Amino acid sequence: MRSPIRTGNPRAGAPPGHRRAAVGVGALLAAVVLALLPLPDGADQARAATAESSAVTKSGAKGRYDDFSGLKVTVHQTKGLRWQGVRVSWTGGRPAPTRGLFNFLQIMQCWGDDPAKGPDRTRCEFGNEARIPPGTGRQVAPASDPLETDDFATDEFGSTFAPFRPVTGPATTSRLDTTYFSAGDTNSLSWLPNDGGGAGEAVFEMKSALESEYLGCGARTTSGGQVRPCWLVVVPRGEHEPDGTSDVNRTTLTSALSKSNWEQRIVFRLDFEPVTDSCDPDKPERVIMGSELATDAVTSWQSELCRTGTHRFTYTQSGEEVARETIMAPSDFSAGLAMTLDPVRPAEGAAQVVHGPVAVSGLAIGFVWMYEKESFNYTPLKELKLNQRLLAKALTQSYAGSLVSSQEPVPDHLSGNPRYIGGDPEFLKLNPDFKGHDFNSPIGLVVTSENTDSARMMWEYILADPDARKFLAGEKDSWGMKVNPEYLQDGVISDATDYFPKADLTPTTVACSGGAAGLTMKRTGQEVVPYALDMHESAVKIRRGDIGTAFECTANQSITKWATVERPTPVSQRQFGVVDNVSAVRYQLNTAALPNADGDYVKPSDASLLKAVAQMPDSDVSGVKKPDPAKMKDGAYPLTAVVYAAASLDQAKAARQDYAKAIRYAAGQGQTPGTASGQLPRGYAPLPAALRQQAEKAAGQLEKGVAGAGDTPSTVPPGTDGGGGTAVSGLSGGTGGGGLTGGDATGTTGDTTAPGTADSSSASSASSATAAPTETDPAKQNVAQSGGPTPSEVLGLIRWVLLGVLIAGGVAALAGPVMLRLSLRGAGSG
C-alpha cells in the first residue's frame, strides 16, 4: 500500500542471510582462476518471475431486448490488488449513437460475502459523480421499473433511493448523502459509451480499505484469517429504459441501481492484498528515508523485513539531499539509511559511506488524454511523443492555458504563443495522429515542488538538447513560439536546478460569486496548475482527470475562497505530468516516448531501463552510476535512474547489521517481480546481477563498520576504488559503456566479510546475489527468482570441479606459499 508512506509508517523484516563461508586459501586460488574465465553467452541470464495472469472475461446476458447477448467484458487484473488502476475492456456491444444516451457501461466497486451472487446493490460505491453523467445517482423508480419491489425509504427530497450500507457505520440517509464518498473521490464510472465498433476500454481506480474503509477491501477476513473478496460490478446499458421506452431525446436515465438495470449486471470477484500491518508495533524502529523512486519498493518489502527481524523499518519520503545530510549525522532516532540517486559525499575527515544499489526506475511523462474526434466519438490518445523543447515549453508555463482559463485573454507576454500544447505546430508535427482541437489538450504539466535528484536529471536531459537550450535562452522556435520571459531571469533554470519552478506569478483578477458585491481574488498559475504533494499524488490526479484547478472564486458574506473545477467524466479527462514510472504503471497511465541520443523515441520498460543502466558511466564516487540522459543509445530510456541505499559506516554495530539485512533483502528476494507483499512492484526493472552483487558487498562492508567500532577496519586509501577516500561503494562499478563488471582490476570478486562480523541469522542463510556477471546486454542481466541457483551458478559449480581436477597436480607443490600470498592480497584489496 502506498498512502501511509508519507508519514513514515512502520515496515520491517528479516533479510536473507549473507554468505559466510570460511574460504580456504586453495579455494581462493580456484576462485581467482574461475573469475578470469568468461561464461558462455547467456549463462548468467537470470529469469524474473512472471506473475500469473488474473484477467477474467465474462459475457453479458440477453435481457428483455437482447441488448447484451454479444457483450464480452474483461477485467485485466482481479488478484493481488491494492490502490491502483485496472484496465477494463469490452467488445460485442452496440455502437453508441451520435445522438441519444444509449449503449454504454457503468462500473462500480462493491463489498459483499455471497460467493454465488456477489454483492447487494446497497453495498456498492455508486453515485455522487460530478457533471451528473447519464444514469448516475442512487435514486430508483418503483413507478417505472416493473421489477422494483424492494421497500426502500424516501428521503427529504421525496426520492426513493437505494442507500449505501458500509462495512461499518450507518447507511446513507438520502440520495445525495456524501458521508462516505463524493464527486471528488468516488471511483464509480457512470458514463462509458461504446465506440463505433461497439467496444471500448477504461481504467478503473481500485481502492483498498486504506483509501475506502467503508468497502473494507483487503481488511475484511474470515474466521480462518483469509481475506474476504470484494467485487467489480459492470452494468451494461442499452437502448431501452426499464419501462420499455427508447426515446432518443431523453436527457435523464434511471440509475444503474434500478432493479431492471441491476439484473443485467456482470460481476467479477476481486482479491486484494491484505492491508493489515503484520509487524509488531512493539518492535523498535530503524528509520530509512529518501527518494520517492524507492517508496513503492520499500513499502512492499517492509512486512517481509519485519517478519523475522528484531526491528521494524519505517520509511520517510523526502528529497534525496535531505536524506544524504541526515545519514551523515545520525542520532538514535533519525534515519541511518538513505535512498538516493546521487552519491553521498562525506566531508573530509567524516565517516565513510557505502552505497548498495536496490532499485532501477526512472521518471516518466504519464498522461490520460481523451478527446472528441467527432460528435460522441470519444478517442483516447495512447501514443504520444514529446521532445526536450516541448517539455521545456510545458515546464516554463509558456502555454497560456497554464495561466488563465479558456474564457480569458492570453497575457501580453505570451501573445503569439499557442494557448495549449495541442495547438503547437511542433507538437502536431511529432503527433500527426492527434485529430482533436487545441482545447482538447491538458492545460499544464503537473509537477511536484520537491527538490529532488530526479528533477535535476530532467533539466539535464532538457538542457543537453541544443534546440531546447536555445529556447530556454530566449530564441524562438521555427514557428515563432517564445519562452515565458519570467524564466529568462538568471538562476531560474540551469543544469543544477533540482525542482520545477513556477516563476510566472502574473496575477489575474477574478470576481467572486456570492457574498457581498465587488469581492475579488488574485489568481496565478499556481491555482490553475497546482503543485502536487509528490509524484504518486500526481499520478492519482492524472488518472482521475482532476488536478485541483481553481478558476472560480466563491464568497460567503465577506470570506472568499477558490472553487476547484468539477471532476470531468471519463470521456473528458485529459491531464499529463511528471511521475515516477512505478506510479505510472500502478495507475495504468499511458507514458510518452522521449528521444534518446540516437533520436529514437523510447518509452520506459524493463528492457529500456536496463539498457540505460548498462550504459551509465560511473559518477565521481566509484561504483555509483550517474544518470546521463543525453547519451543513452540503442533503445535505452533516457530518464532512467538507479536508487542506492547509502549508509555511514560510523554507526552502532546493531544498527549497521539491521541496515545491512535490509540491503541484502532489497537486492535479493526483494527483486522478485510480483504483486505480493515482499516482491518488486511493477514499474521497477529487476536489478542486473552485477548490481545485486555490489549491494551484497556494500552490506558486508556496512557490517564491518569503521576502525574502532569493534570490527575489521574498512578504510580505503585515496585514489583507489573506494572513491578517493571519501566514500566506499562496495564494489567497483567498472568503466566504459557497460560498467557492470565488479571486483578489482583483475576481475576478482572475493568475499570481503571477515569471520565474526555478521550475526548468526545472517550467517545461517545463503545470499541470492552470488553470480559473477560478465554480460553487458541488459537482457542477460535480469535477476533470477530468489532462493534457487541461476544458470551461471550451476555452471560455475561444474567448472569449479573440472578445473580443480585439472590443476590440482600442477599447483600441489606450490600451494602453500602461493595461496598464502594470494589470500593476503585478497584481504588487502577488500
Side-chain angles (χ1 to χ4, degrees):
M1 293 357 105
R2 173 64 178 258
S3 49
I5 235 354
R6 300 187 186 95
T7 55
N9 280 350
R11 301 160 180 126
H18 115 269
R19 188 181 297 271
R20 295 277 323 277
V23 182
V25 241
L28 178 60
L29 176 59
V32 173
V33 174
L34 289 176
L36 295 175
L37 293 177
L39 292 172
D41 286 346
D44 69 344
Q45 180 178 356
R47 308 194 183 277
T50 302
E52 180 183 356
S53 173
S54 59
V56 173
T57 300
K58 292 189 175 184
S59 299
K62 181 176 180 180
R64 291 170 60 190
Y65 306 102
D66 195 18
D67 284 342
F68 316 117
S69 58
L71 182 66
K72 292 184 182 297
V73 180
T74 299
V75 178
H76 291 263
Q77 183 185 346
T78 59
K79 297 181 179 179
L81 297 168
R82 54 177 179 162
W83 187 17
Q84 65 177 91
V86 171
R87 190 163 68 97
V88 180
S89 62
W90 61 94
T91 59
R94 295 180 180 177
T98 57
R99 181 184 176 193
L101 306 177
F102 298 150
N103 302 331
F104 60 98
L105 298 190
Q106 299 180 292
I107 308 179
M108 63 199 78
Q109 186 177 340
C110 314
W111 70 277
D113 298 330
D114 190 332
K117 295 182 179 180
D120 182 84
R121 54 183 166 157
T122 63
R123 297 181 175 185
C124 296
E125 179 171 338
F126 186 81
N128 295 332
E129 289 185 52
R131 307 291 175 95
I132 316 177
T136 189
R138 305 191 68 88
Q139 185 175 353
V140 297
S144 61
D145 188 344
L147 298 183
E148 192 60 74
T149 58
D150 288 350
D151 186 20
F152 288 132
T154 300
D155 63 17
E156 68 270 26
F157 305 104
S159 302
T160 303
F161 71 101
F164 173 71
R165 306 186 192 280
V167 171
T168 59
T172 54
T173 58
S174 81
R175 62 185 176 85
L176 301 179
D177 192 332
T178 59
T179 300
Y180 300 105
F181 47 87
S182 65
D185 60 11
T186 184
N187 63 353
S188 63
L189 300 177
S190 295
W191 176 235
L192 297 170
N194 300 341
D195 64 19
E201 67 175 63
V203 173
F204 188 86
E205 180 191 341
M206 297 290 182
K207 293 182 179 179
S208 75
L210 295 178
E211 297 75 44
S212 296
E213 184 180 6
Y214 47 84
L215 293 175
C217 299
R220 299 167 49 251
T221 59
T222 65
S223 58
Q226 299 298 313
V227 176
R228 294 183 182 274
C230 277
W231 308 89
L232 192 72
V233 174
V234 178
V235 178
R237 305 298 297 271
E239 299 179 4
H240 297 83
E241 282 287 83
D243 62 1
T245 60
S246 180
D247 183 2
V248 72
N249 294 314
R250 66 191 177 198
T251 57
T252 60
L253 299 178
T254 54
S255 168
L257 303 182
S258 189
K259 193 62 176 289
S260 291
N261 299 327
W262 181 254
E263 288 297 305
Q264 297 298 133
R265 69 192 182 278
I266 307 171
V267 181
F268 297 83
R269 174 184 172 127
L270 304 175
D271 292 306
F272 277 74
E273 287 294 309
V275 300
T276 52
D277 189 354
S278 59
C279 189
D280 183 354
D282 292 330
K283 284 186 176 181
E285 289 186 353
R286 294 288 185 211
V287 183
I288 306 173
M289 70 181 298
S291 177
E292 184 175 1
L293 295 188
T295 299
D296 273 58
V298 176
T299 306
S300 176
W301 297 331
Q302 281 178 311
S303 60
E304 284 301 304
L305 285 170
C306 180
R307 187 169 56 84
T308 57
T310 59
H311 285 68
R312 58 193 177 99
F313 289 86
T314 64
Y315 189 68
T316 301
Q317 183 177 294
S318 72
E320 292 89 350
E321 183 62 28
V322 174
R324 289 192 289 267
E325 291 175 354
T326 300
I327 67 160
M328 289 311 300
S331 68
D332 291 340
F333 305 102
S334 68
L337 190 68
M339 296 295 177
T340 180
L341 277 58
D342 291 348
V344 180
R345 297 176 177 86
E348 185 176 353
Q352 296 173 340
V353 172
V354 295
H355 295 84
V358 294
V360 174
S361 186
L363 293 186
I365 307 300
F367 67 94
V368 173
W369 197 326
M370 297 290 295
Y371 66 97
E372 197 170 5
K373 204 171 183 180
E374 301 168 354
S375 179
F376 276 85
N377 185 356
Y378 300 98
T379 301
L381 184 66
K382 292 184 178 181
E383 299 298 326
L384 177 65
K385 291 180 180 179
L386 296 174
N387 61 25
Q388 292 94 326
R389 186 162 58 188
L390 286 170
L391 289 173
K393 293 174 180 180
L395 287 170
T396 56
Q397 300 173 289
S398 295
Y399 298 112
S402 63
L403 297 174
V404 296
S405 72
S406 58
Q407 290 79 34
E408 294 169 332
V410 172
D412 291 341
H413 60 289
L414 294 182
S415 62
N417 281 6
R419 184 181 285 265
Y420 304 106
I421 191 173
D424 187 340
E426 183 173 20
F427 172 84
L428 295 173
K429 182 179 179 180
L430 270 180
N431 299 278
D433 291 337
F434 177 70
K435 303 300 182 183
H437 298 288
D438 63 338
F439 57 80
N440 292 146
S441 307
I443 60 175
L445 199 63
V446 185
V447 295
T448 73
S449 60
E450 283 191 307
N451 298 76
T452 63
D453 294 350
S454 55
R456 181 167 52 251
M457 176 176 67
M458 173 68 83
W459 287 117
E460 289 174 355
Y461 172 62
I462 292 172
L463 290 167
D465 177 70
D467 290 337
R469 181 178 284 273
K470 291 176 184 176
F471 179 81
L472 290 171
E475 184 175 316
K476 293 182 179 181
D477 72 6
S478 302
W479 299 271
M481 183 173 175
K482 58 182 178 293
V483 69
N484 187 324
E486 297 295 331
Y487 289 82
L488 293 176
Q489 302 176 37
D490 290 341
V492 176
I493 302 297
S494 72
D495 292 325
T497 302
D498 65 352
Y499 74 109
F500 300 110
K502 290 184 181 292
D504 192 340
L505 299 178
T506 304
T508 300
T509 301
V510 180
C512 300
S513 61
L519 293 176
T520 62
M521 292 184 72
K522 299 290 187 181
R523 187 189 63 225
T524 70
Q526 295 207 38
E527 283 75 46
V528 179
V529 184
Y531 277 117
L533 177 66
D534 57 19
M535 291 186 285
H536 175 263
E537 184 182 73
S538 296
V540 173
K541 288 184 172 184
I542 294 166
R543 167 46 55 206
R544 294 177 176 177
D546 180 7
I547 62 173
T549 293
F551 283 132
E552 299 177 353
C553 165
T554 61
N556 182 3
Q557 296 181 348
S558 61
I559 300 175
T560 60
K561 66 176 183 179
W562 289 116
T564 58
V565 175
E566 287 186 323
R567 183 174 170 182
T569 59
V571 296
S572 302
Q573 294 176 354
R574 39 186 173 267
Q575 304 290 352
F576 67 162
V578 178
V579 300
D580 59 302
N581 188 53
V582 178
S583 293
V585 172
R586 179 170 177 170
Y587 293 100
Q588 296 286 290
L589 304 180
N590 294 311
T591 53
L594 305 178
N596 62 15
D598 292 326
D600 296 330
Y601 282 80
V602 184
K603 292 183 179 182
S605 66
D606 282 4
S608 64
L609 292 172
L610 289 175
K611 286 181 178 180
V613 173
Q615 297 174 31
M616 284 183 186
D618 284 338
S619 68
D620 57 355
V621 173
S622 180
V624 177
K625 297 294 178 185
K626 175 180 173 56
D628 196 352
K631 296 181 180 179
M632 298 295 101
K633 298 181 178 180
D634 301 323
Y637 180 68
L639 296 181
T640 301
V642 178
V643 180
Y644 290 86
S648 170
L649 297 181
D650 190 15
Q651 299 187 66
K653 181 176 181 179
R656 288 187 281 105
Q657 289 178 336
D658 286 337
Y659 288 129
K661 290 178 183 179
I663 293 173
R664 286 198 178 94
Y665 182 87
Q669 291 175 324
Q671 292 300 310
T672 302
T675 60
S677 178
Q679 294 182 327
L680 187 69
R682 292 166 182 165
Y684 290 105
L687 283 176
L691 295 189
R692 295 180 70 185
Q693 186 182 34
Q694 180 179 336
E696 171 68 21
K697 296 290 185 179
Q701 288 179 310
L702 183 57
E703 283 181 326
K704 292 177 185 178
V706 297
D711 294 312
T712 303
S714 57
T715 55
V716 180
T720 66
D721 281 345
T726 61
V728 179
S729 65
L731 183 69
S732 171
T735 58
L740 294 178
T741 302
D744 61 20
T746 65
T748 57
T749 54
D751 192 348
T752 61
T753 306
T757 59
D759 64 14
S760 58
S761 64
S762 65
S764 62
S765 59
S767 167
S768 61
T770 56
T774 60
E775 293 287 351
T776 56
D777 180 359
K780 297 180 180 180
Q781 293 168 353
N782 215 356
V783 299
Q785 278 190 309
S786 302
T790 65
S792 60
E793 290 173 316
V794 174
L795 192 55
L797 291 174
I798 295 173
R799 293 198 305 167
W800 188 297
V801 174
L802 292 177
L803 287 173
V805 171
L806 291 173
I807 67 173
V811 301
L814 300 175
V818 171
M819 289 187 288
L820 178 58
R821 189 174 297 112
L822 285 170
S823 68
L824 293 174
R825 183 183 305 164
S829 66

